[in-house]
Each structure stands twice: as structure tokens, then as C-alpha cells.
Amino acid sequence: MPSLSKTLTALALLTQTLALTPTKPLNARASTCTPKAGGSSSVDDVPAITSAIASCGKGGTIVIPAGSTYYLNSVLDFAGCTGCDFQVEGLLKFSSSTSYWEGRTAMINIKNINGLKIRSLTGAGVIDGNGQNAWDLFASDSSYARPTLLYITGGSNIEISSLRQKNPPNVFNSVKGNTKRVTFSHLKMDATSKSDNEPKNTDGFDIGASTDVTISNVDVDNDDDCVAFKPGCDGVTVTDITCTGSHGLSVGSLGKGSSDTVKNIYVSGATMINSTKALGIKTYPSGGSHGLSTASNVTWSGVVVDGCDYAVQIQSCYGENSEYCEENPGNANLSGIVIEDVSGVTSGKYGAVTSNLNCGSGGTCDVKIGSYTVKPKSGSGKVLCANTPSDLGVTCTAGASG
Ligand SMILES: *[C@@H]1O[C@H](CO)[C@@H](O)[C@H](O)[C@H]1NC(C)=O
Ligand SMILES: *[C@@H]1O[C@H](CO)[C@@H](O)[C@H](O)[C@H]1NC(C)=O
Ligand SMILES: *[C@@H]1O[C@H](CO)[C@@H](O)[C@H](O)[C@H]1NC(C)=O
């Protein structure tokens, strides 16, 4: 008689084998794997998905079928995927465990992967970060460290498309580590709290050190930056984006503890609803441990402002107070910054002021604004400026700050 544990091991192996049997013949060029879901939140489906990636990840396809729910109680790592196609037609639901996720960087970890598509062919696929418990805990303990839903570091040729991403504990998508060529398209992203605690720091996209990142046809409803162009990003194109409730399409923050550069950004076709600012640049001033901030060749073109507190906000004293900045003025080098075709109506939070452009007195402010027709809720608007060039392109009123 085999021992019970041996029988169980054999059964487990058999189940795994069955779960991983390619649905196409073995001699087919690329195989397809469908991991077997455990069917209960108490069963972690990550090991089954990881096995599927091990079997089919080299140029093959992994399918999360329509109508299915996979419970992800641990980090989903794409190690072993090269040129693989991960098709999410059902629901990937992460656990809400605040103890498991505490201090972890990523829920979906895409590290040094070359060639990966995570997409839904039907458009029905959902990735749920299940972040409510994390937001509630963070509200009473701001030291609670929460993971990013989808974290790309290094690698190349990554496509994330036609999915819904919802309720990340923290940031939705992050790209850094000198990743090359990433495309995000046709995404619906929303973070909505059921309690009084806001979905804090749910940045839509944090684009750090990378080249050639494209974001198009995305709809983001969140509680922090919609897209943040972070230190080291070079070559980001954003087209057709709608952001609701965010902190806008924002360069920075730059220069906190090192010299930082952001360059070659092109944003066109943005609808910005109820954000603190539609677009902006945040740089730390000089002095202390702050580094030099450089932003060059950044264009925002075709931005509709709908109930945003500011249309445009340039901050050269970020993270410090005005007394500090009198002693240590902003020294950021802003060059080739173009803001054109900005229309719509602000929220009224700052009365008649529609934009606040505070360049540093110790820096370079090569900013041009064209076709700016933003209005306050009532009356005629004004734009506050400091240290801006005479050919800025809008009529300035003194008194910019921040
Ligand atoms: C400015 O950035 C855009 C977007 O990345 C790029 O297409 C363009 O070539 C850049 N221009 C220069 C002069 O580098
Ligand atoms: C924007 O804010 C206004 C005022 O608070 C609110 O009435 C409106 O529903 C909000 N719009 C969206 C799309 O959330
Ligand atoms: C500002 O940055 C641009 C682009 O990187 C560079 O060409 C220029 O020399 C810099 N200017 C200053 C004053 O540092």
C-alpha cells in the first residue's frame, strides 16, 4: 500500500500535468497553456499560473479563460516568459491580505522580460488589486508600505492592453530600470473606495528610467498623478487619455536627493476632469541634499480642463517652504517646454486664477504657451507667473508660488 502522502504527491503531479497539458499538439510551433484555477480564495492560483509560464512561456500563450476567477494570494512573477502572450479574459483577483503584501514592491512582477503581452482579446479581462484593506490601514498608519499592481523593471517590448485594472493598493503601473519599448493601450483603470478612506497614491502610470513608452486610449479614475514622468524617463508618448480625480499629467517630482532629468515627452489629446492640476512640473529647489532638475522637450497639446483646480502648475519650490526657497531658489532647467491648445473651465478653488507658473529665480524657464483659453467658473481668468519669459504666450499676473 502506498502511503497517503505518496498518493497525494502522485495526485498533485497528475493534476499539474493535466492542468499543463498543451491544448495544441506538442509539435505545434507555439503551445497554449490554461492553468487550472483552484476555485476558492483560500487556494492560491499563482503556482498554477507560474507552472503554465514555465511550460508555455517561451513564445507560447497562457490563457485565463472568460468567466473564470483566479485568486492570486502571492506575487505573480513573469520570470521565464520570453515572447509570451498572457491572455486575460477572466478575472485575476489579488488577495486583500495586508500582512502578506506589506513591504512588497510588486503584485505583478515583470523583471528583465523581453517580449510579453498581457492583454484581453475580448476586452473583458480584469486585474483586481483588491486594495480596500490597504487604503483603510494606510489611513491610520501612513508607514504601511503597499505594493504596485504592475511593476516593470528592465527588459523590452512589453505590451499591456485592452484590460480593466482596478483598485490597486498603491500605484497601478510602474516602469523603470531602463526598460525599452512599453505600450499601454485601451485600458480602463479605476480605484474607488467603499469607505471614507481615499485610494491614496494610486498613480495611474509612474514612468521612470526607460525609453520609448507609449500610453494611448486609456481612461483613469484615481487619486494621485494620472501619469507621472519620473526621473530618467526619455521618450514617452501619451495620446487620448481621460483622467478623473487625479493630480494630473505631471513631470516630477525631480531633484529631491539627486540630479534628475526627464526628456522627450509628447502628450496629445487629454481630457482632465476634477484634477488638482491638469498638467504640471514639480521640482525641488537648490540647496541641502537636493540635486539639479532638468526637463527638456516636453509638449502637452490639446488638453481639455473640466473642473480642475489649476490648468497648469509649475512648482520650483516643491517639498520646501517659501522661506527656504528665498535662501535657496529654484534652479531647475526647463527647456523646450510647450503647452498648447488648453481649454475648458477650472473648479473655482483658486477663484479667478486658472494657472500658477512659479519658475525658479536661479534656473531656466524656457516655457511657451499657445492657444490658452481656460476660464475660471465665473468672470475673467488670470495666470500667476514668476520668472517666466516675456514671450511666454499668456498674460501674466505677479504672485506665483509653490
Ligand atoms: C521631442 O520628443 C518627442 C517625443 O518623444 C520626439 O518625437 C522628438 O523627436 C523630440 N525632439 C527632439 C528635438 O529631440
Ligand atoms: C467632478 O466634480 C463635480 C463637483 O464636485 C461633480 O459634480 C462631478 O460629478 C465630478 N465629475 C466626475 C466625472 O466625477
Ligand atoms: C538646460 O538643459 C538643456 C537640455 O538638456 C541644455 O542644452 C542646456 O545647456 C541647459 N542649460 C543650462 C543653463 O544648464
Side-chain angles (χ1 to χ4, degrees):
M1 274 281 283
S3 74
L4 181 60
S5 79
K6 270 187 182 161
T7 313
L8 284 176
T9 311
L11 262 176
L13 277 173
L14 181 65
T15 319
Q16 256 186 15
T17 315
L18 283 176
L20 296 176
T21 303
T23 51
K24 280 185 188 167
L26 279 170
N27 58 4
R29 209 176 126 260
S31 47
T32 296
C33 288
T34 303
K36 186 166 164 38
S40 151
S41 62
S42 61
V43 179
D44 183 11
D45 290 321
V46 167
I49 296 174
T50 303
S51 303
I53 293 170
S55 304
C56 286
K58 303 271 178 293
T61 301
I62 296 102
V63 178
I64 302 299
S68 64
T69 297
Y70 287 66
Y71 294 95
L72 310 187
N73 301 348
S74 54
V75 176
L76 175 56
D77 197 308
F78 276 85
C81 154
T82 309
C84 77
D85 190 352
F86 190 78
Q87 296 175 0
V88 183
E89 310 303 348
L91 168 63
L92 296 179
K93 190 173 176 82
F94 280 99
S95 88
S96 60
S97 166
T98 49
S99 55
Y100 175 79
W101 293 111
E102 176 165 24
R104 292 187 195 268
T105 307
M107 299 181 112
I108 297 177
N109 193 34
I110 300 171
K111 184 170 186 196
N112 298 332
I113 301 298
N114 296 301
L116 164 64
K117 291 184 169 114
I118 300 181
R119 58 178 179 162
S120 173
L121 299 181
T122 60
V126 178
I127 300 175
D128 184 351
N130 211 356
Q132 185 73 51
N133 289 355
W135 305 330
D136 288 340
L137 178 51
F138 185 76
S140 61
D141 175 9
S142 65
S143 70
Y144 177 66
R146 299 157 293 153
T148 292
L149 181 57
L150 191 144
Y151 192 83
I152 303 174
T153 176
S156 62
N157 299 321
I158 316 276
E159 174 191 318
I160 313 294
S161 64
S162 304
L163 294 161
R164 176 174 174 205
Q165 295 176 313
K166 63 186 273 201
N167 298 339
N170 195 17
V171 170
F172 277 89
N173 297 295
S174 165
V175 180
K176 57 208 298 191
N178 300 319
T179 310
K180 295 178 177 59
R181 293 179 298 280
V182 182
T183 301
F184 295 97
S185 71
H186 297 96
L187 300 177
K188 160 115 183 64
M189 297 155 53
D190 49 291
T192 312
S193 178
K194 288 185 187 140
S195 71
D196 290 338
N197 303 315
E198 281 161 6
K200 283 281 184 189
N201 313 113
T202 47
D203 291 17
F205 301 89
D206 280 356
I207 312 299
S210 60
T211 50
D212 204 358
V213 173
T214 300
I215 299 169
S216 65
N217 293 289
V218 299
D219 188 327
V220 183
D221 189 335
N222 73 335
D223 193 57
D224 207 308
D225 293 329
C226 186
V227 182
F229 306 100
K230 298 261 191 186
C233 82
D234 176 1
V236 185
T237 304
V238 180
T239 45
D240 298 322
I241 186 166
T242 299
C243 307
T244 303
S246 75
H247 296 179
L249 306 167
S250 180
V251 171
S253 58
L254 305 181
K256 185 177 188 181
S258 56
S259 288
D260 294 328
T261 298
V262 159
K263 59 184 176 185
N264 302 325
I265 310 295
Y266 192 86
V267 179
S268 70
T271 301
M272 306 302 294
I273 302 165
N274 293 354
S275 48
T276 57
K277 62 180 180 299
L279 60 99
I281 302 176
K282 298 189 284 201
T283 58
Y284 281 81
S286 60
S289 56
H290 303 319
L292 179 65
S293 302
T294 301
S296 67
N297 185 26
V298 180
T299 297
W300 289 267
S301 176
V303 178
V304 177
V305 172
D306 178 357
C308 304
D309 298 339
Y310 287 128
V312 185
Q313 184 180 26
I314 296 179
Q315 294 165 276
S316 58
C317 188
Y318 189 70
E320 300 286 358
N321 60 30
S322 53
E323 290 75 41
Y324 176 96
C325 289
E326 262 169 46
E327 294 275 306
N328 307 275
N331 60 345
N333 175 356
L334 310 184
S335 70
I337 311 296
V338 176
I339 298 163
E340 60 192 17
D341 188 14
V342 186
S343 60
V345 181
T346 53
S347 68
K349 177 166 182 185
Y350 300 110
V353 174
T354 60
S355 287
N356 189 339
L357 316 177
N358 185 34
C359 280
S361 63
T364 301
C365 187
D366 170 20
V367 177
K368 296 217 172 17
I369 302 183
S371 302
Y372 181 92
T373 59
V374 179
K375 302 218 167 354
K377 260 190 149 168
S378 61
S380 57
K382 54 184 176 181
V383 173
L384 303 182
C385 307
N387 305 306
T388 47
S390 56
D391 62 351
L392 176 67
V394 289
T395 304
C396 282
T397 302
S401 60

